[in-house]
């Protein structure tokens, strides 16, 4: 059963299905009840599942995550909505010291099946703290898994997989793609869906590999289309899982193309691109025709809305990197 | 202390909660055993002008947003008295730390209302000098500024600038939702332990976006203070006189070295949370109408009219004045310059950074390459 | 409510602060208008045995640390009554969330005292099942567990397990220093807003490492609660009877659906913060001596002796019992196995991770290469 | 005037001198007064400068950093002690959203000369949260500068330079080296001292470059000594500054040696090694004989004390990496 859905709606349906499948799934966050969240991702869920399962919380992110830990200890499967990327930091301690470490601390006796949903990235003309890409802060943290969806179909399946997983998962949603549409086949089971912690080759190509995730996948695909006009075939890989990384397809691709470009909105310095570059170089040392290049946000605070176009990686910057790679 | 006394005031006004009030919704002056004001006629007229002007400027900003000239706007509609009352209570040497909604306080500080518009237009993120303006940069992360205010107040005490009429006070603004943040509670603790000269001014506008007050507390917010070791008091935040009186007293108390006070200004957010919000999803029209009847401007106007302090001519003149100010603001907003190309690389560090410099240079070269392509 | 009534109790004991007391430092039973206990003789003797045993086990752990067998130890010396009183007040179905110092509570839960020793020895980081034991893993980040406890209690309510004698209650332990953390205050808010069945049990042992209480608050800690919308009460934490009575009442209140209570158990950390600490740098011997006179065990012993409930033979027997338990503990600590090589890679994720697996494999291969070199 | 000092004492003297030089310098933290801090780094300073300048704070890290922001706005120069690495996270929001961004937000009108001292790393047999290496979390954050000292002389000078700098600086101290001694020449001025944001070549060598900072510098030096016995000359560079990185000497070295190994205690994934590997590969692509190798903590929570020897990079693991580099 295939439907055309926006990414936001696909998440909404995915959450709904997860709540139907398991009565222990509860949603927590600010304004997720009547309002349905500031992006309406939880629209209608409180009405249908009640306010014991869709919980408008006090305005305190550490409190949300900390109580979610307790609820998980009690057998619940809390799915948290952080309102915007820039507001996750008050919860950072609970995430890094508790959510990430409780399983380890307990020698496996405790599982915390918590999903922390974070709408992330820029491009929506917002004020400060509403456009950040904090994924590396989480991916650097052992004990957390980190994923990012890029399209409605993945959104629908990945959110359900994340909720069904016993691992604590930070789930990044590309907020500026919430309104983009795509086909979603909602039939089939979770088990038969494409595995959560797997990267996916979206276009196959022989000239260069472009790695992206979340909102930048669209940009990478557009770059591939544009490059094709110049006769260059780019292999675009949607990473999907940022921790653990799924490098198999990436290594295969780079061994074939000899060139890799990583694209993300997060700052360049110590962003996902750094880790990808390091791993690719280590694994594909003799295959590389040029160093892995990074097209990323600059190492500055996210700028004012009217400068964000300058800040954000776009088609041209990706193509420029491809050119630079070929010029090496 | 304040609780018992404010109860008496409330008794006169059955429908209202337990708070300090000096001017009823229908424009009657009432007395309070502890708080009073002694405004001159001119000052009272000035308050009316302030209220009308900040409402008009705010409406203009909302309109600008609707027309695509601002990215977003956080309206103060309904909270004019809370902001003008507390803003006018500040003395020149006092320092204010706002959230993102204190346009009325900013106006009362004598600051050009254009100052925060760059932020909402998206051309900068504030960009003003908080010290020169004695008004902090708008803070978006809920509650963070209360700690900054507390630290600043600790510094005031360290500088020996408390203990007399010339003492400096600090005021920290925040909302009802913010009271749930750890930071705000930690600010209470630091302020109390170091006896900092600070007033915590909570505008309880009944909502944190869509969440009603009951999601943050089950008792009145002003009561939070006592357990931290300083007084809390609730004031009718739609009453500019009472808000002034209570805030002035608390600020003076702080400047004289008597430590913090929490003020809960009981008010209502008449509009949406921001222009991105749709309040019809979470609150009923009748509630808004009820609060309409408690409008902070109307009651002052009724009072001033009934006492003959203002007449229709004055009202008309003030409206015209406010409209003019709004037009001026509009014109200036439209000419706010967009950031220069590459300006985003500036001011990352006081001492600069070779990494940022290098990226700025690469950025410039990259963009120059397009220029070249075009010419 | 509790304030006024506990004042009366305090009047009888001028040197003590305003708290609930049922047993004076010199072993006199006093009554309290609200709180009482009805222990059988056997139970009273049991409390004495508990107190002596947990002190002895604690002393043994301190000795083990001195001998290099533990990396560090956080002693409960002086806080035995606060822990045994509250620990014995828990019903079987109740859940406790400790800090790193609740060895006495753990003991009262019927848990093998060896359980947390691996953590202090450095062979693991807790490693027990908090649910099976109804006792959370020791928490080192100050205050974090109060939110876990609150969330757990929210879950209890969600499960419908409140409202009768069989209802479940949750207790969260924390120190005086912890009250300054945002997390603890947020826990108060969540617990209050969701009316969670929880007791916040603060052992005010007067110090957070070197910092005296005045660095955290200028008013008594139990007063913090009322501003969050639930009762706070102070109890003599060196009085095992009063601590039991107050905690039992608060837990029962919670299990019946009446929401949270904050208990401040007023006590004293007789020893160092941990074995790494040197309290002579920050407190005077006379203060410690003063508290020595309020020893929680001595007062119970005096009372039981004066009433003829115990005699010297019993005291000797209990000492011997405790000593034996301590010896057993020691022996078992010495045989706690060190982590297996490569064990550190286990239990990072419930579902595992190929990255961790790969590193574990590399680690194994690397170490095997040394083995090879040696053989 | 050269003295033999422990690293801890050198910090203590550096703090003292900074306080003497500028009355606006204040110290804030938990237990830093009478106790002198749990590591005694502030020993005697409250006695000599009073409790208005050496401030025992409430037990609340966000409160400490948040009030330091306000004190800095008021003209003070707060130097914060975070008691242990694992306790900085409650302050993460204030650090990332306020300390790092206020200068930018104000378009340069506000300076926040705040130093956040963090004793970091393992090797002291401690319980959980007392042995972490969170430097990448800060280095990934634009608006913060991040440094790490490795020896008494640097400790003495770098802490003073950090305090004198108007940039907000996260200052990492290798806690397990607090008791190690070294010569400190306390004569001369701050201005003539080796610049704060500069890496330093400690041993020159031609065969491979070893990059380290903080506690791992000692390990790198020991590896160089051991390698020398095998006839391999390692060039050890103490990075000292983690953000911005000072890559000049690093690139020169790698161009010469063709091999680089990065050593740190922090987890491998997205640690400083990732960024260094990416940059070195990009800049020295044609000079590299082998990929940049990383000797780092594993991607697991910091383990129990009796397993930490297995976890921590040591001499052998560095030499093994050198071997692997040569085997490429
Ligand atoms: C830490 C943090 N979390 C979430 C948000 C998103 N947010 C912006 S305003 C707001 C509600 C604030 O409510 P309140 O404190 O009552 O102030 P008001 O807007 O009503 O004036 C929320 C949740 C934020 N800005 N910061
Ligand atoms: C977030 C955090 N900050 C700092 C520390 C270091 N620390 C460990 S115990 C302690 C004092 C705790 O005092 P209190 O809450 O009174 O408990 P007590 O040790 O007295 O039982 C401190 C500061 C910590 N563990 N966690
Ligand atoms: Mg509000
Ligand atoms: Mg204590």
């Amino acid at each position: 059963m295939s439907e055309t859905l926006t990414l936001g709606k696909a998440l909404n349906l995915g959450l709904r299905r997860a709540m139907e499948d398991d009565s222990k799934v509860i949603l927590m966050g600010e304004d997720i009840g009547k309002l349905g969240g500031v992006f309406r991702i939880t629209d209608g869920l409180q009405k249908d599942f009640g306010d014991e399962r869709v919980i408008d919380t006090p305005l305190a992110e550490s409190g949300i995550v900390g109580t979610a830990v307790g609820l998980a200890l009690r057998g619940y499967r809390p799915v948290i909505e952080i309102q915007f990327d820039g507001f996750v930091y008050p919860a950072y301690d609970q995430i890094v010291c508790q959510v990430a470490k409780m399983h380890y601390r307990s020698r496996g006796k405790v599982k915390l099946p918590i999903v922390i949903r974070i709408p992330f990235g820029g491009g929506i003309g917002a004020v400060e703290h509403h456009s950040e890409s904090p994924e590396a802060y989480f991916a650097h943290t052992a004990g957390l898994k980190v994923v990012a969806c890029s399209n409605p179909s993945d959104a629908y399946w990945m959110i359900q997989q994340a909720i069904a997983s016993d691992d604590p998962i930070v789930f990044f949603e590309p907020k500026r793609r919430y309104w983009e549409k795509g086909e979603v086949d909602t039939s089939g089971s979770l088990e038969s869906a494409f595995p959560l912690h797997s990267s996916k080759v979206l276009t196959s190509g022989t000239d260069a590999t472009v790695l992206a995730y979340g909102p930048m996948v669209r940009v990478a695909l557009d770059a591939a289309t544009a490059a094709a006009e110049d006769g260059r075939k780019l292999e675009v890989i949607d990473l999907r899982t940022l921790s653990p990384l799924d490098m198999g397809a990436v290594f295969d691709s780079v061994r074939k193309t000899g060139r890799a470009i990583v694209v993300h909105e997060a700052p360049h310095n110590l962003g996902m691109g750094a880790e990808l570059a390091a791993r690719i170089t280590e694994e594909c040392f003799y295959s590389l025709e040029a160093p892995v290049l990074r097209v990323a946000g600059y190492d500055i605070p996210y700028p004012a809305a009217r400068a964000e176009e300058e800040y954000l990686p776009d088609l041209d910057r990706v193509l420029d990197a491809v050119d630079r790679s070929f010029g090496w | 202390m304040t609780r018992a006394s404010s109860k008496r005031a409330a008794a006169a006004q059955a429908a209202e909660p337990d708070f300090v009030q000096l001017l009823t919704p229908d424009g009657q002056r009432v007395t309070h055993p502890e708080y009073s004001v002694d405004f001159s006629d001119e000052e009272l007229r000035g308050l009316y002008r302030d209220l009308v002007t900040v409402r008009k400027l705010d409406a203009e900003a909302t309109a600008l947003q609707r027309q695509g000239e601002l990215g977003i706007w956080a309206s103060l509609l309904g909270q004019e008295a809370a902001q003008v009352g507390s803003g006018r209570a500040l003395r020149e040497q006092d320092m204010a730390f706002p959230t993102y909604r204190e346009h009325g306080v900013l106006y009362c500080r004598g600051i050009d209302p254009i100052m925060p518009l760059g932020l909402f237009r998206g051309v900068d993120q504030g960009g003003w000098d908080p010290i020169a303006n004695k008004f902090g940069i708008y803070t978006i992360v809920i509650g963070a500024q209360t700690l900054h205010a507390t630290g600043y107040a600790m510094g005031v005490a360290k500088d020996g600038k408390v203990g007399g009429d010339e003492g400096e006070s600090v005021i920290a603004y925040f909302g009802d939702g913010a009271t749930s943040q750890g930071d705000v509670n930690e600010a209470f603790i630091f302020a109390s332990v170091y006896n900092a000269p600070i007033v915590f001014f909570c505008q309880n506008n009944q909502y944190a976006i869509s969440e009603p007050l009951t999601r943050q507390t089950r008792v009145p917010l002003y009561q939070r203070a006592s357990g931290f070791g300083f007084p809390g008091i609730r004031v009718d935040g739609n009453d500019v006189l009472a808000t002034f009186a209570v805030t002035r007293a608390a600020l003076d108390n702080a400047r004289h070295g008597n430590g913090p006070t929490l003020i809960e200004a009981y008010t209502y957010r008449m509009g949406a949370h921001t222009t991105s919000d749709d309040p019809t999803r979470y609150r009923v029209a009748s509630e808004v109408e009820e609060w309409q009847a408690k409008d902070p401007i109307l009651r002052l106007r009724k009072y001033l009219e009934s006492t003959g302090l203002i007449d229709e001519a004055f009202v008309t003149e003030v409206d015209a004045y406010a409209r003019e100010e709004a037009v001026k603001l509009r014109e200036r907003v439209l000419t706010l310059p967009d950031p220069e190309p590459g300006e985003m690389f500036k001011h990352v560090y006081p001492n600069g950074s070779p990494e940022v410099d290098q990226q700025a240079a690469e950025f410039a070269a990259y963009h120059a390459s397009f220029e070249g392509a075009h010419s």
Side-chain angles (χ1 to χ4, degrees), chain A, chain B:
Chain A
M1 202 182 65
S2 182
E3 301 179 58
T4 306
L5 297 173
T6 62
L7 195 151
K9 184 67 188 168
L11 286 167
N12 177 270
L13 285 184
L15 289 169
R16 176 179 290 276
R17 190 157 157 189
M19 294 188 78
E20 286 164 355
D21 287 353
D22 185 344
S23 66
K24 289 295 184 185
V25 173
I26 55 174
L27 312 188
M28 304 172 71
E30 296 160 6
D31 306 295
I32 66 169
K34 280 192 190 164
L35 188 62
V38 294
F39 292 108
R40 309 290 186 267
I41 305 304
T42 57
D43 191 25
L45 299 178
Q46 191 181 62
K47 198 170 123 276
D48 294 345
F49 294 97
D51 61 7
E52 283 288 329
R53 292 190 64 197
V54 180
I55 306 168
D56 270 335
T57 64
L59 207 177
E61 286 77 9
S62 189
I64 298 170
V65 176
T67 55
V69 169
L71 281 156
L73 286 169
R74 182 72 191 181
Y76 287 89
R77 305 183 79 87
V79 183
I80 291 165
E81 173 171 304
I82 297 290
Q83 197 160 81
F84 283 87
D85 33 62
F87 306 137
V88 69
Y89 308 118
Y92 201 63
D93 176 56
Q94 283 285 349
I95 297 173
V96 165
C97 295
Q98 305 300 331
V99 176
K101 294 188 171 63
M102 192 77 85
H103 183 69
Y104 195 70
R105 184 180 298 147
S106 73
R107 285 182 144 176
K109 304 207 178 60
V110 167
K111 296 186 178 82
L112 297 180
I114 296 173
V115 175
I116 302 175
R117 297 178 38 236
I118 306 182
F120 83 129
I124 61 161
V127 295
E128 211 184 347
H129 312 293
H130 290 72
S131 305
E132 307 205 345
S133 298
E135 61 272 18
Y137 294 135
F138 300 98
H140 182 52
T141 306
L144 299 176
K145 291 192 174 173
V146 183
V147 302
C149 61
S150 71
N151 62 69
S153 176
D154 278 0
Y156 177 77
W157 288 108
M158 288 171 74
I159 189 66
Q160 292 181 66
Q161 292 169 314
I163 294 170
S165 168
D166 280 345
D167 298 329
I169 296 183
V170 184
F171 190 95
F172 283 99
E173 304 171 0
K175 71 166 85 81
R176 67 157 129 164
R177 309 293 179 207
Y178 275 148
W179 302 273
E180 292 187 8
K181 289 184 177 161
E183 284 303 292
V184 182
D185 182 353
T186 57
S187 61
S189 71
L190 265 195
E191 293 65 39
S192 61
F194 192 81
L196 180 61
H197 293 293
S198 305
S199 56
K200 200 189 254 175
V201 178
L202 298 188
T203 68
S204 86
T206 46
D207 294 332
T209 304
V210 180
L211 305 173
Y213 55 91
M216 286 292 105
V217 171
R218 177 81 267 144
V219 171
L221 287 171
D222 290 347
T225 306
E229 289 169 19
D230 295 349
R232 276 195 189 135
K233 295 209 184 70
L234 305 187
E235 181 144 311
V236 174
I237 300 180
D238 183 353
L239 292 171
R240 299 170 82 258
T241 177
L242 305 183
S243 180
L245 282 163
D246 174 33
M247 297 299 289
V250 175
F251 293 150
D252 288 348
S253 178
V254 177
R255 283 197 199 97
K256 177 173 67 177
T257 64
R259 300 178 195 284
I261 286 109
V262 190
V263 191
H264 56 64
E265 293 187 21
H268 183 269
N269 188 28
L270 280 159
M272 294 303 305
E275 183 62 32
L276 289 158
R279 292 204 203 175
I280 291 168
T281 308
E282 189 165 342
E283 199 68 22
C284 311
F285 190 65
Y286 294 114
S287 311
L288 282 176
E289 308 278 348
V292 178
L293 297 181
R294 296 181 271 171
V295 179
Y298 299 105
D299 291 309
I300 62 176
Y302 198 89
R306 294 196 179 212
E308 74 178 339
E309 255 186 62
E310 289 185 347
Y311 178 85
L312 290 167
D314 61 9
L315 174 64
D316 288 325
R317 280 176 63 197
V318 176
L319 292 176
D320 176 65
V322 173
D323 284 347
R324 282 189 290 126
S325 180
F326 274 89
W328 219 270
Chain B
M1 57 152 209
T2 53
R3 213 185 153 185
S5 50
S6 63
K7 246 184 199 143
R8 255 169 286 162
Q13 184 78 26
E16 306 272 26
D18 179 15
F19 56 27
V20 178
Q21 193 183 61
L22 297 177
L23 189 59
T24 68
D26 49 359
Q28 304 294 315
R29 271 291 265 120
V30 288
T31 59
H32 187 278
E34 238 178 284
Y35 294 99
S36 61
V37 289
D38 58 351
F39 286 117
S40 68
D41 296 350
E42 202 40 47
E43 284 169 335
L44 284 169
R45 280 189 286 263
L47 287 176
Y48 179 76
R49 184 183 300 271
D50 288 344
L51 291 171
V52 170
T53 307
V54 302
R55 177 172 291 183
K56 182 66 194 161
L57 291 173
D58 184 78
E60 193 62 41
T62 298
L64 281 162
Q65 196 283 334
R66 297 253 179 277
Q67 293 149 17
E69 297 295 343
L70 297 180
I72 194 171
W73 181 248
S75 167
L76 60 62
L77 189 67
Q79 302 176 219
E80 295 86 355
Q83 296 199 11
V84 168
S86 61
R88 286 290 173 215
L90 291 165
R91 300 192 193 267
E92 203 188 320
Q93 68 269 29
D94 295 342
M95 176 76 191
F97 286 85
T99 70
Y100 40 78
R101 207 188 285 286
E102 271 66 70
H103 326 307
V105 180
L106 177 144
Y107 182 82
C108 292
R109 296 250 74 187
I111 298 168
D112 183 345
I114 192 76
M115 197 167 83
L117 273 287
L119 189 163
F120 291 100
R121 189 168 168 84
V123 305
D124 61 38
Q125 285 166 334
W128 64 84
D129 184 337
I131 304 308
N133 289 288
K134 294 245 171 229
F135 188 80
I137 301 181
Y138 277 5
T139 304
I140 288 167
V141 178
I142 297 296
Q145 77 284 358
T146 60
L147 281 170
H148 307 163
T150 302
Y152 188 93
M154 287 162 61
V156 168
K158 243 176 243 308
D159 291 346
K161 295 294 172 75
V162 283
D165 289 348
E166 299 312 304
E168 297 180 34
S169 264
V170 179
I171 191 165
Y173 288 90
F174 55 105
D176 44 299
T179 59
S180 293
Q181 282 288 357
D183 272 11
V184 173
N185 293 279
E186 293 186 9
F188 292 169
I189 289 165
F190 278 69
S192 174
V193 163
Y194 299 112
N195 201 38
I198 187 168
V199 173
F200 292 107
F201 193 91
C202 177
Q203 284 169 82
N204 173 4
N205 63 5
Q206 314 299 332
Y207 284 92
I209 308 187
S210 74
E211 297 193 14
L213 189 62
T214 49
R215 293 295 83 194
Q216 319 293 340
T217 183
R218 62 185 197 188
V219 288
L221 288 173
Y222 75 93
Q223 293 178 6
R224 183 76 60 83
S226 77
F228 290 92
F230 54 89
I233 182 166
R234 185 153 63 182
V235 65
D236 181 347
N238 282 14
D239 172 352
V240 69
L241 304 184
T243 303
F244 178 93
V246 167
T247 312
R248 176 55 70 90
L251 286 167
D252 284 349
N253 213 35
R255 85 178 76 258
H256 281 93
N258 300 322
T261 302
L262 168 64
I263 297 173
E264 176 189 357
Y266 199 80
T267 179
Y268 193 76
R269 199 195 72 208
M270 293 299 297
H273 169 69
T274 66
T275 46
S276 309
D277 181 38
D278 173 10
T280 65
R281 292 179 70 101
Y282 55 82
R283 68 185 188 189
V284 292
S286 62
E287 182 185 289
V288 182
E289 278 158 30
E290 250 173 63
W291 278 91
Q292 203 96 50
K294 304 183 198 172
D295 185 71
I297 303 188
L298 214 60
R299 73 172 78 179
L300 184 65
R301 179 169 157 183
K302 277 188 193 158
Y303 168 62
L304 295 180
E305 282 176 345
S306 73
T307 54
L309 279 175
I310 65 171
D311 55 15
E312 226 193 286
F314 179 80
V315 168
T316 311
E317 185 268 316
V318 167
D319 281 348
Y321 169 81
R323 212 163 32 241
E324 219 170 280
E325 291 297 298
V327 169
K328 277 193 259 172
L329 182 65
R330 155 175 297 265
E331 280 162 5
R332 291 168 68 206
V333 166
L334 299 186
T335 62
L336 276 181
D338 278 354
E340 296 285 321
E343 198 178 313
M344 63 180 175
F345 293 103
K346 282 187 192 153
H347 306 306
V348 181
Y349 300 94
N351 292 333
S353 157
E355 289 178 356
V356 175
D357 292 348
Q358 190 190 326
Q359 291 182 359
E362 283 167 11
F363 174 89
Y366 172 69
H367 281 267
S369 74
F370 285 100
E371 302 291 314
H374 289 178
S375 68

